[in-house]
């Protein structure tokens, strides 16, 4: 497995693969890899000839009061996961090589970035869109693999790929959960034992909403009410947002029709967790 921090090296390597007609998949990450990431890499390996994984804790997508400095960075363990899952290259640029002095450009996907997580984390999705466009320009893969866990991020990056004619297939991959229902996340490492025991309540709340959607006479408001009421039963959680949206627009639907999804973010202690659940009527 090629391990490199140098942008020109990864571009050259992928260029050589492409020149030989090989299909290249790309899994961008911020490291602290868990089974969710491993499942993305496995899928990319199954569907491509070569897979590049990037590890870059992107300062541009963290707010001033967020967890950039304490974000976990277990590089050796991450490299072992990439190797085990069959990645051909691990790319881990430094912040200085990504954002050289004088860097001024930002990429904004309007109308999707300000909603939900974007309302609580201003500038977050601008940072995500900017770094992912840079990574795609450096790596030049055929396909980009992203988890549905960050459903809003996936929608925004799909839009980015279409709007800017990036010529990359964006592949959304199923969210992976612990056996008790908690969505896997690098931030789960921050939870105390008590918080970890309480954390599956977020998923339970979304499931309660999805169940309500199947009840005769249910509507968008009753679905959201049911999910919020279930979340309120877990006193350790403080809701950031919990909404029902149309999967295409990320806006509240007028009726229980089409492809809908419950999206939620909630604080447990100092940790903010996100989750989502498809709602099929
Ligand atoms: O989902 C993530 O880990 C990050 O937002 C991403 C896509 C790697 C961009 O930094």
């Amino acid at each position: 497995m090629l391990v490199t921090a140098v942008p020109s090296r990864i571009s050259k390597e992928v260029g050589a693969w492409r020149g030989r007609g090989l299909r290249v998949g790309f899994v961008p990450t911020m490291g602290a890899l868990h089974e969710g990431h491993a499942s993305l890499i496995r899928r990319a390996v199954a569907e491509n000839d070569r897979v590049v994984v990037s590890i870059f804790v992107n300062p541009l997508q963290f707010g001033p009061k967020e967890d950039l400095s304490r974000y976990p960075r277990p590089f050796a363990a991450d490299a072992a996961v990439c190797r085990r899952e069959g990645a051909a290259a691990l790319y881990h640029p430094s912040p200085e090589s990504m954002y050289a002095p004088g860097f001024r450009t930002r990429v904004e996907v309007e109308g999707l970035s300000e909603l939900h997580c974007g309302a609580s984390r201003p500038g977050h999705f601008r940072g995500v869109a900017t770094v992912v466009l840079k990574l795609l320009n450096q790596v030049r893969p055929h396909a980009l693999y992203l988890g549905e866990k960050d459903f809003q991020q996936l929608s925004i990056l799909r839009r980015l790929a279409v709007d800017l004619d990036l010529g990359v297939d964006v592949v959304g991959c199923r969210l992976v959960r612990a056996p008790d229902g908690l969505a896997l996340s690098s931030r789960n490492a921050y939870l105390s034992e008590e918080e970890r025991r309480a954390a599956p309540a977020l998923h339970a709340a979304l499931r309660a909403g999805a169940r309500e959607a199947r009840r005769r006479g249910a509507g968008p408001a009753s679905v959201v009410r049911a999910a919020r009421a279930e979340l309120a039963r877990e006193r350790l959680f403080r809701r950031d947002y919990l909404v029902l949206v149309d999967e295409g627009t990320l806006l509240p639907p007028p009726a229980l029709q089409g492809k809908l999804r419950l999206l939620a973010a909630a604080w447990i202690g100092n940790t903010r967790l996100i989750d989502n659940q498809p709602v099929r009527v």
Side-chain angles (χ1 to χ4, degrees):
M1 183 179 70
L2 167 73
V3 179
T4 181
V6 182
S8 57
R9 177 106 196 269
I10 196 70
S11 303
K12 206 166 141 214
E13 190 72 25
V14 175
W17 292 334
R18 293 186 70 123
R20 286 163 51 203
L22 299 177
R23 183 177 164 85
V24 180
F26 176 46
V27 183
T29 81
M30 298 207 303
L33 303 183
H34 48 66
E35 181 49 33
H37 296 111
S39 74
L40 295 181
I41 302 172
R42 270 198 297 280
R43 177 148 177 209
V45 166
E47 296 178 357
N48 297 275
D49 301 307
R50 296 285 185 275
V51 169
V52 178
V53 178
S54 68
I55 295 180
F56 179 61
V57 183
N58 174 32
L60 227 55
Q61 68 188 75
F62 286 77
K65 294 200 186 111
E66 292 185 353
D67 54 346
L68 174 63
S69 60
R70 71 173 185 137
Y71 199 85
R73 291 166 169 86
F75 186 76
D78 287 347
V81 172
C82 295
R83 209 168 274 122
R84 185 189 76 210
E85 300 301 344
L90 170 52
Y91 174 44
H92 63 114
S94 64
E96 298 74 31
S97 70
M98 281 303 248
Y99 304 118
F103 184 89
R104 299 202 61 80
T105 304
R106 298 290 185 277
V107 180
E108 184 85 44
V109 181
E110 292 179 352
L112 294 177
S113 297
E114 307 82 355
L115 306 168
H116 319 310
C117 279
S120 318
R121 306 181 68 191
H124 168 68
F125 288 119
R126 186 185 313 130
V128 170
T130 304
V131 80
V132 170
L133 181 57
K134 278 179 72 70
L135 288 165
L136 288 172
N137 281 335
Q138 292 166 352
V139 176
R140 298 213 176 269
H142 296 88
L144 169 66
Y145 289 79
L146 298 164
E148 281 191 348
K149 151 99 186 326
D150 296 278
F151 194 80
Q152 186 176 4
Q153 168 174 279
L154 174 61
S155 306
I156 287 169
L157 295 176
R158 278 192 199 285
R159 192 72 251 166
L160 174 83
V162 171
D163 288 356
L164 298 187
D165 311 303
L166 298 184
V168 68
D169 296 333
V170 179
V171 185
C173 303
R174 275 191 44 207
L175 192 161
V176 181
R177 298 184 183 280
D180 61 8
L182 176 65
L184 297 191
S185 162
S186 306
R187 290 191 167 96
N188 293 349
Y190 300 151
L191 302 176
S192 69
E193 265 179 45
E194 189 194 15
E195 289 165 353
R196 176 61 190 82
R197 270 196 303 275
L202 184 55
H203 178 228
L206 299 181
R207 282 212 329 262
R211 261 196 317 276
E212 164 66 14
R214 292 193 290 273
R215 190 181 61 80
R216 191 188 292 271
S222 75
V223 168
V224 172
R225 232 179 0 254
R228 287 182 181 174
E230 182 65 28
L231 185 62
R233 282 156 49 91
E234 176 45 70
R235 62 176 179 84
L236 290 186
F237 265 121
R238 191 162 38 88
R239 190 179 79 225
D240 178 355
Y241 68 83
L242 194 165
V243 289
L244 179 67
V245 300
D246 179 282
E247 288 190 357
T249 61
L250 298 186
L251 294 172
L256 285 183
Q257 261 171 22
K259 284 187 148 188
L260 307 180
R261 201 166 274 253
L262 280 158
L263 306 180
W267 288 93
I268 184 161
N270 292 325
T271 308
R272 185 174 172 279
L273 299 180
I274 61 172
D275 202 345
N276 67 82
Q277 172 81 25
V279 171
R280 301 291 180 255
V281 185

